[in-house]
Short mmCIF file of all heavy atoms in Angstrom, two decimals:
data_model
loop_
_atom_site.label_atom_id
_atom_site.label_comp_id
_atom_site.label_asym_id
_atom_site.label_seq_id
_atom_site.Cartn_x
_atom_site.Cartn_y
_atom_site.Cartn_z
N HIS V 224 -1.53 8.75 -31.78
CA HIS V 224 -2.48 10.02 -31.25
C HIS V 224 -2.94 9.81 -30.00
O HIS V 224 -2.91 10.75 -29.13
CB HIS V 224 -3.48 9.98 -32.37
CG HIS V 224 -4.61 11.02 -32.07
ND1 HIS V 224 -4.31 12.30 -32.26
CD2 HIS V 224 -5.87 10.90 -31.60
CE1 HIS V 224 -5.42 13.06 -31.91
NE2 HIS V 224 -6.35 12.26 -31.58
N GLU V 225 -3.26 8.59 -29.55
CA GLU V 225 -3.83 8.34 -28.12
C GLU V 225 -2.46 8.63 -27.14
O GLU V 225 -2.73 9.28 -26.07
CB GLU V 225 -4.21 6.83 -27.98
CG GLU V 225 -5.54 6.69 -28.68
CD GLU V 225 -6.64 7.39 -28.07
OE1 GLU V 225 -6.67 7.61 -26.91
OE2 GLU V 225 -7.60 7.79 -28.84
N LYS V 226 -1.35 8.25 -27.55
CA LYS V 226 -0.13 8.46 -26.78
C LYS V 226 0.16 9.91 -26.66
O LYS V 226 0.45 10.49 -25.51
CB LYS V 226 1.06 7.70 -27.29
CG LYS V 226 2.26 7.92 -26.51
CD LYS V 226 3.44 7.12 -27.14
CE LYS V 226 4.77 7.17 -26.35
NZ LYS V 226 5.81 6.51 -26.91
N SER V 227 -0.03 10.76 -27.72
CA SER V 227 0.12 12.20 -27.61
C SER V 227 -0.83 13.00 -26.81
O SER V 227 -0.69 13.99 -26.24
CB SER V 227 0.21 12.75 -29.01
OG SER V 227 -1.12 12.76 -29.66
N LEU V 228 -2.03 12.29 -26.72
CA LEU V 228 -3.20 12.98 -25.95
C LEU V 228 -3.10 12.64 -24.30
O LEU V 228 -3.84 13.28 -23.63
CB LEU V 228 -4.58 12.53 -26.46
CG LEU V 228 -4.91 13.09 -27.89
CD1 LEU V 228 -6.31 12.54 -28.22
CD2 LEU V 228 -4.96 14.59 -27.87
N ARG V 229 -2.19 11.75 -24.02
CA ARG V 229 -2.31 11.34 -22.53
C ARG V 229 -1.95 12.49 -21.65
O ARG V 229 -1.30 13.50 -22.08
CB ARG V 229 -1.23 10.25 -22.31
CG ARG V 229 -1.54 9.00 -22.84
CD ARG V 229 -0.41 7.87 -22.65
NE ARG V 229 -0.69 6.63 -23.25
CZ ARG V 229 0.11 5.67 -23.25
NH1 ARG V 229 1.35 5.73 -22.76
NH2 ARG V 229 -0.10 4.58 -23.86
N MET V 230 -2.51 12.35 -20.54
CA MET V 230 -2.46 13.56 -19.58
C MET V 230 -1.84 13.00 -18.11
O MET V 230 -1.92 11.88 -17.91
CB MET V 230 -3.77 14.10 -19.31
CG MET V 230 -4.59 14.58 -20.53
SD MET V 230 -6.32 15.05 -20.28
CE MET V 230 -6.06 16.56 -19.11
N SER V 231 -1.16 13.91 -17.55
CA SER V 231 -0.86 13.61 -16.17
C SER V 231 -1.91 13.84 -15.21
O SER V 231 -2.92 14.52 -15.52
CB SER V 231 0.41 14.48 -15.78
OG SER V 231 0.01 15.92 -15.75
N LYS V 232 -1.81 13.31 -14.05
CA LYS V 232 -2.80 13.48 -13.01
C LYS V 232 -2.97 15.05 -12.67
O LYS V 232 -4.06 15.49 -12.39
CB LYS V 232 -2.36 12.81 -11.68
CG LYS V 232 -2.50 11.24 -11.85
CD LYS V 232 -2.16 10.51 -10.62
CE LYS V 232 -2.10 9.02 -10.93
NZ LYS V 232 -3.38 8.46 -11.27
N GLN V 233 -1.92 15.75 -12.74
CA GLN V 233 -1.92 17.19 -12.45
C GLN V 233 -2.73 17.86 -13.58
O GLN V 233 -3.44 18.80 -13.31
CB GLN V 233 -0.53 17.76 -12.27
CG GLN V 233 -0.49 19.13 -11.86
CD GLN V 233 -1.15 19.46 -10.58
OE1 GLN V 233 -0.90 18.71 -9.62
NE2 GLN V 233 -1.96 20.60 -10.42
N ASP V 234 -2.51 17.38 -14.89
CA ASP V 234 -3.33 17.99 -15.91
C ASP V 234 -4.88 17.82 -15.75
O ASP V 234 -5.62 18.76 -16.08
CB ASP V 234 -2.82 17.29 -17.25
CG ASP V 234 -1.40 17.74 -17.68
OD1 ASP V 234 -0.84 18.84 -17.18
OD2 ASP V 234 -0.72 16.87 -18.31
N ILE V 235 -5.18 16.66 -15.28
CA ILE V 235 -6.54 16.28 -15.09
C ILE V 235 -7.13 17.24 -13.94
O ILE V 235 -8.28 17.80 -14.15
CB ILE V 235 -6.82 14.84 -14.73
CG1 ILE V 235 -6.36 14.07 -15.94
CG2 ILE V 235 -8.25 14.68 -14.34
CD1 ILE V 235 -6.52 12.59 -15.66
N LYS V 236 -6.27 17.44 -12.94
CA LYS V 236 -6.75 18.29 -11.83
C LYS V 236 -6.84 19.78 -12.33
O LYS V 236 -7.93 20.27 -11.90
CB LYS V 236 -5.76 18.22 -10.65
CG LYS V 236 -5.91 16.94 -9.86
CD LYS V 236 -4.95 17.08 -8.74
CE LYS V 236 -5.04 15.73 -7.79
NZ LYS V 236 -4.18 15.83 -6.52
N ASP V 237 -6.01 20.21 -13.13
CA ASP V 237 -6.01 21.59 -13.62
C ASP V 237 -7.12 21.81 -14.56
O ASP V 237 -7.92 22.84 -14.45
CB ASP V 237 -4.73 21.98 -14.40
CG ASP V 237 -3.53 22.04 -13.45
OD1 ASP V 237 -3.64 22.15 -12.16
OD2 ASP V 237 -2.31 21.89 -13.99
N GLU V 238 -7.48 20.73 -15.36
CA GLU V 238 -8.71 20.79 -16.23
C GLU V 238 -10.02 20.90 -15.50
O GLU V 238 -10.85 21.58 -15.84
CB GLU V 238 -8.65 19.66 -17.14
CG GLU V 238 -9.81 19.70 -18.29
CD GLU V 238 -9.87 18.50 -19.13
OE1 GLU V 238 -8.85 18.36 -19.89
OE2 GLU V 238 -10.67 17.74 -19.04
N TYR V 239 -10.08 20.09 -14.45
CA TYR V 239 -11.30 20.06 -13.55
C TYR V 239 -11.38 21.47 -12.88
O TYR V 239 -12.55 22.00 -12.85
CB TYR V 239 -11.23 18.93 -12.63
CG TYR V 239 -12.27 18.96 -11.57
CD1 TYR V 239 -13.46 18.39 -11.88
CD2 TYR V 239 -12.15 19.51 -10.32
CE1 TYR V 239 -14.59 18.42 -11.01
CE2 TYR V 239 -13.23 19.48 -9.39
CZ TYR V 239 -14.51 18.86 -9.70
OH TYR V 239 -15.52 18.97 -8.91
N LYS V 240 -10.35 22.05 -12.42
CA LYS V 240 -10.49 23.35 -11.73
C LYS V 240 -10.89 24.46 -12.85
O LYS V 240 -11.78 25.30 -12.47
CB LYS V 240 -9.07 23.72 -11.20
CG LYS V 240 -8.65 22.91 -9.92
CD LYS V 240 -7.29 23.41 -9.33
CE LYS V 240 -6.85 22.61 -8.22
NZ LYS V 240 -5.63 23.13 -7.73
N LYS V 241 -10.44 24.32 -14.04
CA LYS V 241 -10.83 25.23 -14.96
C LYS V 241 -12.36 25.12 -15.43
O LYS V 241 -12.91 26.09 -15.59
CB LYS V 241 -9.97 25.23 -16.26
CG LYS V 241 -8.59 25.73 -16.09
CD LYS V 241 -7.68 25.40 -17.37
CE LYS V 241 -6.37 25.97 -17.16
NZ LYS V 241 -5.62 25.69 -18.42
N SER V 242 -12.72 23.92 -15.51
CA SER V 242 -14.13 23.71 -15.99
C SER V 242 -15.07 23.91 -14.75
O SER V 242 -16.23 24.41 -14.92
CB SER V 242 -14.21 22.19 -16.54
OG SER V 242 -13.88 21.25 -15.70
N GLU V 243 -14.76 23.44 -13.61
CA GLU V 243 -15.79 23.39 -12.54
C GLU V 243 -15.43 24.42 -11.51
O GLU V 243 -16.34 24.78 -10.70
CB GLU V 243 -15.61 22.03 -11.78
CG GLU V 243 -15.86 20.85 -12.66
CD GLU V 243 -17.31 20.82 -12.98
OE1 GLU V 243 -18.25 21.35 -12.28
OE2 GLU V 243 -17.79 20.26 -14.09
N GLY V 244 -14.23 24.99 -11.66
CA GLY V 244 -13.88 26.20 -10.67
C GLY V 244 -12.97 25.41 -9.44
O GLY V 244 -13.24 24.30 -9.04
N ASP V 245 -12.04 26.38 -9.05
CA ASP V 245 -11.25 25.92 -7.92
C ASP V 245 -12.13 25.78 -6.62
O ASP V 245 -12.84 26.68 -6.35
CB ASP V 245 -10.27 27.03 -7.63
CG ASP V 245 -9.20 26.54 -6.72
OD1 ASP V 245 -9.46 25.58 -5.86
OD2 ASP V 245 -8.02 26.99 -6.78
N PRO V 246 -12.18 24.63 -5.98
CA PRO V 246 -13.03 24.42 -4.75
C PRO V 246 -12.74 25.44 -3.74
O PRO V 246 -13.70 25.92 -3.10
CB PRO V 246 -12.63 23.08 -4.31
CG PRO V 246 -12.07 22.27 -5.49
CD PRO V 246 -11.43 23.36 -6.41
N MET V 247 -11.58 25.82 -3.52
CA MET V 247 -11.23 26.90 -2.50
C MET V 247 -11.94 28.24 -2.88
O MET V 247 -12.59 28.85 -1.96
CB MET V 247 -9.76 27.01 -2.30
CG MET V 247 -9.04 25.84 -1.72
SD MET V 247 -7.19 26.07 -1.55
CE MET V 247 -7.28 27.49 -0.31
N ILE V 248 -11.80 28.60 -4.22
CA ILE V 248 -12.46 29.82 -4.60
C ILE V 248 -13.94 29.72 -4.50
O ILE V 248 -14.58 30.65 -4.03
CB ILE V 248 -11.98 30.08 -5.99
CG1 ILE V 248 -10.45 30.36 -6.10
CG2 ILE V 248 -12.74 31.36 -6.60
CD1 ILE V 248 -9.89 30.71 -7.39
N LYS V 249 -14.52 28.66 -4.93
CA LYS V 249 -15.92 28.43 -4.77
C LYS V 249 -16.52 28.50 -3.34
O LYS V 249 -17.49 29.09 -3.11
CB LYS V 249 -16.34 27.00 -5.47
CG LYS V 249 -16.16 27.15 -7.00
CD LYS V 249 -16.47 25.81 -7.51
CE LYS V 249 -17.98 25.35 -7.51
NZ LYS V 249 -18.25 24.18 -8.13
N GLY V 250 -15.66 27.88 -2.51
CA GLY V 250 -15.95 27.97 -1.08
C GLY V 250 -15.99 29.39 -0.55
O GLY V 250 -16.88 29.86 0.25
N ARG V 251 -14.96 30.13 -0.86
CA ARG V 251 -14.83 31.53 -0.53
C ARG V 251 -16.08 32.40 -1.04
O ARG V 251 -16.61 33.24 -0.31
CB ARG V 251 -13.54 32.19 -1.05
CG ARG V 251 -12.41 31.61 -0.35
CD ARG V 251 -11.09 32.06 -1.02
NE ARG V 251 -9.96 31.60 -0.24
CZ ARG V 251 -8.65 31.77 -0.79
NH1 ARG V 251 -8.48 32.61 -1.88
NH2 ARG V 251 -7.59 31.06 -0.19
N ILE V 252 -16.37 32.07 -2.41
CA ILE V 252 -17.60 32.85 -2.93
C ILE V 252 -18.82 32.43 -2.12
O ILE V 252 -19.63 33.36 -1.91
CB ILE V 252 -17.75 32.35 -4.43
CG1 ILE V 252 -16.54 32.98 -5.16
CG2 ILE V 252 -19.03 32.93 -4.93
CD1 ILE V 252 -16.42 32.60 -6.72
N ARG V 253 -19.08 31.21 -1.88
CA ARG V 253 -20.31 30.77 -1.07
C ARG V 253 -20.28 31.42 0.14
O ARG V 253 -21.37 31.88 0.73
CB ARG V 253 -20.35 29.27 -0.90
CG ARG V 253 -20.72 28.61 -2.29
CD ARG V 253 -21.17 27.13 -1.99
NE ARG V 253 -20.03 26.30 -1.47
CZ ARG V 253 -19.22 25.60 -2.26
NH1 ARG V 253 -19.49 25.54 -3.58
NH2 ARG V 253 -18.30 24.98 -1.77
N GLU V 254 -19.12 31.53 0.87
CA GLU V 254 -18.96 32.15 2.29
C GLU V 254 -19.36 33.63 2.17
O GLU V 254 -20.15 34.21 2.95
CB GLU V 254 -17.61 31.89 2.72
CG GLU V 254 -17.44 32.48 4.22
CD GLU V 254 -18.30 31.79 5.17
OE1 GLU V 254 -18.72 30.66 4.97
OE2 GLU V 254 -18.54 32.43 6.32
N ARG V 255 -18.83 34.17 1.13
CA ARG V 255 -19.14 35.66 0.96
C ARG V 255 -20.70 35.89 0.69
O ARG V 255 -21.22 36.85 1.08
CB ARG V 255 -18.32 36.29 -0.14
CG ARG V 255 -18.54 37.70 -0.45
CD ARG V 255 -17.51 38.33 -1.37
NE ARG V 255 -16.19 38.16 -0.87
CZ ARG V 255 -15.06 38.61 -1.40
NH1 ARG V 255 -15.19 39.22 -2.64
NH2 ARG V 255 -13.83 38.54 -0.85
N GLN V 256 -21.18 34.96 -0.19
CA GLN V 256 -22.63 35.08 -0.45
C GLN V 256 -23.51 34.88 0.81
O GLN V 256 -24.47 35.62 0.99
CB GLN V 256 -23.07 34.09 -1.51
CG GLN V 256 -22.44 34.46 -2.86
CD GLN V 256 -22.80 33.26 -3.87
OE1 GLN V 256 -23.12 32.13 -3.43
NE2 GLN V 256 -22.69 33.60 -5.17
N ARG V 257 -23.11 33.84 1.69
CA ARG V 257 -23.83 33.72 2.90
C ARG V 257 -23.73 35.11 3.91
O ARG V 257 -24.74 35.39 4.42
CB ARG V 257 -23.28 32.53 3.69
CG ARG V 257 -23.68 31.14 3.03
CD ARG V 257 -23.35 29.97 4.10
NE ARG V 257 -21.96 29.89 4.23
CZ ARG V 257 -21.27 29.15 3.56
NH1 ARG V 257 -21.81 28.33 2.63
NH2 ARG V 257 -19.97 28.88 3.84
N LYS V 258 -22.57 35.56 3.86
CA LYS V 258 -22.28 36.87 4.76
C LYS V 258 -23.27 37.91 4.18
O LYS V 258 -23.84 38.64 4.92
CB LYS V 258 -20.98 37.20 4.78
CG LYS V 258 -20.10 36.19 5.63
CD LYS V 258 -18.62 36.78 5.54
CE LYS V 258 -17.69 35.87 6.41
NZ LYS V 258 -16.31 36.21 6.48
N MET V 259 -23.26 38.12 2.94
CA MET V 259 -24.09 39.13 2.34
C MET V 259 -25.60 38.97 2.49
O MET V 259 -26.32 39.79 2.90
CB MET V 259 -23.77 39.34 0.78
CG MET V 259 -22.41 39.74 0.39
SD MET V 259 -22.04 39.75 -1.37
CE MET V 259 -23.25 41.01 -1.93
N ALA V 260 -26.02 37.58 2.33
CA ALA V 260 -27.32 37.37 2.69
C ALA V 260 -27.77 37.59 4.13
O ALA V 260 -28.86 38.13 4.52
CB ALA V 260 -27.64 35.87 2.20
N LEU V 261 -26.85 37.14 5.05
CA LEU V 261 -27.04 37.34 6.50
C LEU V 261 -27.08 38.89 6.78
O LEU V 261 -27.93 39.41 7.62
CB LEU V 261 -25.86 36.74 7.24
CG LEU V 261 -26.07 36.80 8.75
CD1 LEU V 261 -27.25 36.12 9.28
CD2 LEU V 261 -24.87 36.17 9.48
N GLN V 262 -26.34 39.64 6.09
CA GLN V 262 -26.31 41.09 6.39
C GLN V 262 -27.53 41.66 5.91
O GLN V 262 -28.14 42.63 6.54
CB GLN V 262 -25.13 41.72 5.60
CG GLN V 262 -24.97 43.23 5.91
CD GLN V 262 -23.67 43.86 5.14
OE1 GLN V 262 -23.06 43.12 4.51
NE2 GLN V 262 -23.38 45.10 5.43
N ARG V 263 -28.00 41.29 4.70
CA ARG V 263 -29.33 41.81 4.19
C ARG V 263 -30.47 41.51 5.14
O ARG V 263 -31.49 42.16 5.40
CB ARG V 263 -29.62 41.43 2.79
CG ARG V 263 -28.75 41.96 1.73
CD ARG V 263 -29.29 41.73 0.30
NE ARG V 263 -29.32 40.24 0.12
CZ ARG V 263 -28.31 39.53 -0.50
NH1 ARG V 263 -27.21 40.31 -0.83
NH2 ARG V 263 -28.40 38.31 -0.73
N MET V 264 -30.39 40.26 5.61
CA MET V 264 -31.42 39.74 6.52
C MET V 264 -31.52 40.47 7.88
O MET V 264 -32.55 40.86 8.30
CB MET V 264 -31.22 38.32 6.81
CG MET V 264 -32.31 37.60 7.67
SD MET V 264 -31.93 35.86 8.04
CE MET V 264 -30.55 36.05 9.19
N MET V 265 -30.36 40.83 8.43
CA MET V 265 -30.18 41.59 9.67
C MET V 265 -30.68 43.01 9.45
O MET V 265 -31.27 43.76 10.40
CB MET V 265 -28.81 41.64 10.17
CG MET V 265 -28.24 40.23 10.51
SD MET V 265 -29.23 39.51 11.84
CE MET V 265 -28.42 37.91 12.16
#
Side-chain angles (χ1 to χ4, degrees):
H224 178 67
E225 290 293 329
K226 186 178 179 181
S227 67
L228 289 180
R229 285 180 186 173
M230 306 171 67
S231 65
K232 295 183 181 296
Q233 186 61 42
D234 293 336
I235 296 177
K236 286 185 177 182
D237 294 340
E238 182 183 292
Y239 176 78
K240 287 180 180 180
K241 289 180 181 178
S242 59
E243 301 295 333
D245 192 331
M247 295 183 62
I248 296 177
K249 291 176 68 175
R251 292 173 184 173
I252 292 175
R253 285 194 295 268
E254 181 65 24
R255 182 171 295 181
Q256 289 174 343
R257 284 195 294 268
K258 289 181 179 180
M259 293 176 64
L261 182 62
Q262 184 178 0
R263 287 194 299 269
M264 183 182 71
M265 294 303 179

